[in-house]
């Protein structure tokens, strides 16, 4: 049977490799593999979330709560917004992006993504007939090229995706830049992806009270340590949230995800410690990599670092393979539009794992 034309033309999204894949491919022990490829919290989830999941397991024969009022209130308090300004997604931030598309995109609409950035925006919106238009990040200055955004806007532009900190560059976008873009384009939805905002200690959530065309995406997969539970949320004016609730699947958040999320938001010490350890790991990695000849790491405000490897004599794919053979998973960024074959991305690990990675990296490069 023939698929829809747009599906037939699409390439599959390329995620980072898992520990199970690497263990099988290279005959390694899973427990010996150091994973720096997926921007996760390496210290694990809140112990309170684990306990809540254990206590809820006997209830998984029942449908989950549909309205999620209790969790909405916790997220609103955490984000310092009103309950009416929160929507929760059950497939991480990906479901939030998908619901945005189903709510606001018509076939033929255009959306802008500055490259390089998170490519899942394009992967999801193209399914609904939307057309990507590319702006750019200035890799020389390590900042958003605002002129390229303005030049990309047309009367068909429906959304502009701005990731801050940006994945994979780790770059923050100045709040005044975001404010200017929103104020000058009031008929365009400005989608600000704050998946990594805790690591930057900077948020733009106050802009949703200034503008009714700003939507902020967040996730519980990073600092909050629940990547495997698939929980995301969005912040926007009440009107946008109400429209999206008309489209969002009713039971998309499982019972186990619900109680894990509640317990995590209530575990303030865990959140604070995760942020502190994450920033410590990031700064250690940046400092150590900066000392290695041939590597060009970008300063980052996230839990990952983009590294240029052209001067090492390796391509990103070659270096990634050499490291995988030794049990180190990094992200080969060749699949990122806007980057050539000489960029890798690494994410934080425990300091013990960081030190082992640096040792192996030096060994491979030598």
């Amino acid at each position: 049977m023939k698929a829809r034309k747009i599906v037939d033309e699409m390439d599959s999204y390329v995620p980072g490799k898992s520990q199970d894949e690497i263990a099988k491919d290279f005959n390694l022990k899973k427990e010996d593999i150091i994973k720096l490829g997926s921007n996760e919290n390496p210290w694990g989830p809140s112990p309170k979330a684990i306990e809540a999941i254990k206590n809820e397991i006997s209830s998984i024969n029942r449908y989950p709560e549909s309205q999620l009022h209790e969790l909405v209130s916790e997220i609103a308090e955490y984000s310092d917004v009103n309950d009416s300004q929160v929507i929760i997604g059950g497939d991480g931030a990906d479901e939030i992006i998908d619901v945005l598309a189903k709510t606001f995109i018509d076939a033929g609409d255009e959306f802008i993504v500055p490259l390089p950035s998170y490519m899942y925006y394009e992967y999801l919106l193209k399914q609904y007939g939307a057309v990507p238009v590319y702006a750019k990040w200035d890799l020389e200055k390590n900042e958003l090229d605002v002129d390229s955004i303005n030049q990309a806007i047309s009367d068909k532009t429906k959304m502009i995706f701005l990731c801050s900190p940006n994945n994979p560059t780790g770059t923050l976008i100045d709040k005044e830049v975001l404010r200017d873009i929103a104020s000058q384009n009031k008929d365009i939805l400005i989608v600000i992806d704050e998946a990594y905002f805790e690591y930057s200690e900077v948020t733009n959530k106050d802009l949703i009270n200034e503008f009714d065309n700003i939507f902020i995406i967040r996730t519980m997969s990073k600092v909050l340590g629940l990547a495997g539970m698939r929980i995301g949320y969005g912040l926007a004016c009440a009107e946008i949230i109400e429209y999206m609730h008309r489209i969002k699947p009713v039971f998309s958040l499982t019972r186990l995800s619900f109680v894990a999320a509640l317990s995590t938001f209530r575990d303030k010490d865990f959140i604070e410690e995760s942020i502190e350890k994450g920033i410590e790991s990031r700064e250690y990695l940046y400092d150590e990599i900066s000392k290695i000849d041939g590597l060009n790491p970008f300063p980052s405000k996230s839990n990952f670092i983009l590294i240029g490897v052209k001067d090492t004599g390796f391509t990103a794919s070659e270096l990634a393979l050499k490291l995988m053979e030794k049990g180190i998973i990094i992200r080969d960024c060749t699949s990122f539009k806007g980057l050539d074959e000489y960029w890798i991305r690494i994410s934080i690990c425990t300091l013990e794992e960081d030190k082992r990675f640096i040792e192996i990296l030096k060994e491979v490069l030598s």
Side-chain angles (χ1 to χ4, degrees):
M1 182 173 178
K2 187 70 172 177
R4 290 168 52 216
K5 183 175 183 293
I6 184 61
V7 177
D8 188 51
E9 294 172 349
M10 286 177 64
D11 294 324
S12 296
Y13 180 74
V14 182
K17 286 187 174 291
S18 70
Q19 288 167 297
D20 288 321
E21 289 176 294
I22 301 303
K24 180 180 179 181
D25 291 347
F26 296 97
N27 195 29
L28 300 168
K29 294 181 180 179
K30 181 179 177 180
E31 59 269 23
D32 293 336
I33 295 171
I34 299 175
K35 189 178 182 186
L36 299 96
S38 298
N39 304 344
E40 298 156 333
N41 182 335
W43 296 279
S46 162
K48 295 180 180 179
I50 296 174
E51 186 64 27
I53 290 170
K54 290 178 180 178
N55 293 336
E56 188 67 19
I57 284 177
S58 62
S59 299
I60 60 173
N61 60 311
R62 303 296 183 187
Y63 281 107
E65 182 183 342
S66 61
Q67 298 302 310
L68 307 174
H69 293 305
E70 193 175 4
L71 182 54
V72 165
S73 293
E74 287 292 338
I75 291 174
E77 180 181 348
Y78 180 73
S79 306
D80 192 24
V81 301
N82 298 323
D83 287 17
S84 63
Q85 296 173 308
V86 175
I87 187 169
I88 301 170
D91 186 21
D94 296 344
E95 183 182 75
I96 297 296
I97 301 167
D98 187 63
V99 174
L100 274 174
K102 288 190 287 190
T103 305
F104 296 107
I105 289 293
D106 289 312
D109 286 341
E110 294 178 352
F111 63 97
I112 297 172
V113 181
L115 301 180
S117 193
Y118 184 50
M119 294 310 301
Y120 214 71
Y121 312 133
E122 178 177 346
Y123 179 77
L124 287 173
L125 267 68
K126 284 178 69 174
Q127 298 174 29
Y128 300 101
V131 180
V133 178
Y134 303 121
K136 67 177 182 177
W137 293 87
D138 187 327
L139 293 177
E140 293 293 328
K141 297 180 180 178
N142 196 16
E143 65 183 27
L144 177 66
D145 184 332
V146 180
D147 288 340
S148 74
I149 296 285
N150 295 329
Q151 291 164 11
I153 293 171
S154 75
D155 57 4
K156 293 183 179 181
T157 305
K158 201 64 168 284
M159 295 183 187
I160 302 174
F161 286 89
L162 299 171
C163 191
S164 184
N166 184 48
N167 179 10
T169 64
T171 314
L172 276 171
I173 305 173
D174 187 87
K175 184 174 291 188
E176 288 307 310
V177 169
L178 296 169
R179 184 177 278 116
D180 287 346
I181 293 172
S183 63
Q184 293 172 24
N185 300 282
K186 294 184 178 180
D187 293 328
I188 299 173
L189 187 62
I190 313 302
V191 183
I192 304 171
D193 190 339
E194 288 193 346
Y196 305 94
F197 86 96
E198 287 103 338
Y199 294 108
S200 71
E201 301 178 289
V202 173
T203 176
N204 301 286
K205 59 90 183 174
D206 53 302
L207 295 181
I208 68 172
N209 293 318
E210 293 183 43
F211 300 97
D212 60 7
N213 65 327
I214 282 185
F215 187 92
I216 292 177
I217 300 171
R218 289 184 177 175
T219 180
M220 295 192 72
S221 297
K222 311 305 176 185
V223 155
L224 301 176
L226 294 177
M229 302 304 290
R230 310 306 301 131
I231 310 161
Y233 63 100
L235 311 174
C237 68
E239 182 182 24
I240 288 177
I241 298 299
E242 196 278 326
Y243 279 136
M244 292 176 68
H245 271 128
R246 298 181 191 181
I247 298 294
K248 191 181 92 65
V250 176
F251 295 118
S252 67
L253 196 70
T254 69
R255 296 186 71 93
L256 300 185
S257 295
F258 176 76
V259 297
L262 272 180
S263 300
T264 300
F265 279 119
R266 291 169 178 170
D267 193 349
K268 310 300 183 187
D269 290 340
F270 165 79
I271 296 173
E272 182 178 345
E273 185 178 358
S274 289
I275 295 170
E276 290 177 355
K277 289 193 295 189
I279 293 174
E280 180 185 18
S281 174
R282 179 190 71 204
E283 296 308 305
Y284 171 82
L285 285 169
Y286 179 78
D287 289 344
E288 291 302 311
I289 290 167
S290 297
K291 299 173 186 175
I292 301 175
D293 290 340
L295 296 179
N296 176 32
F298 276 27
S300 174
K301 288 294 184 179
S302 189
N303 71 340
F304 55 80
I305 300 171
L306 181 68
I307 307 169
V309 301
K310 191 171 186 177
D311 293 338
T312 65
F314 289 98
T315 65
S317 297
E318 290 168 345
L319 183 56
L321 179 60
K322 290 288 187 182
L323 290 169
M324 280 191 287
E325 290 171 351
K326 296 181 177 294
I328 304 291
I329 304 175
I330 62 169
R331 185 63 190 264
D332 169 8
C333 291
T334 304
S335 65
F336 278 80
K337 291 180 179 176
L339 292 178
D340 60 23
E341 67 271 32
Y342 296 106
W343 298 91
I344 63 171
R345 190 195 66 198
I346 62 165
S347 51
I348 58 172
C349 275
T350 67
L351 283 179
E352 180 182 353
E353 290 172 323
D354 290 341
K355 291 173 183 177
R356 178 65 180 145
F357 161 66
I358 294 296
E359 289 176 3
I360 293 174
L361 179 62
K362 288 178 178 178
E363 178 185 329
V364 167
L365 292 177
S366 65

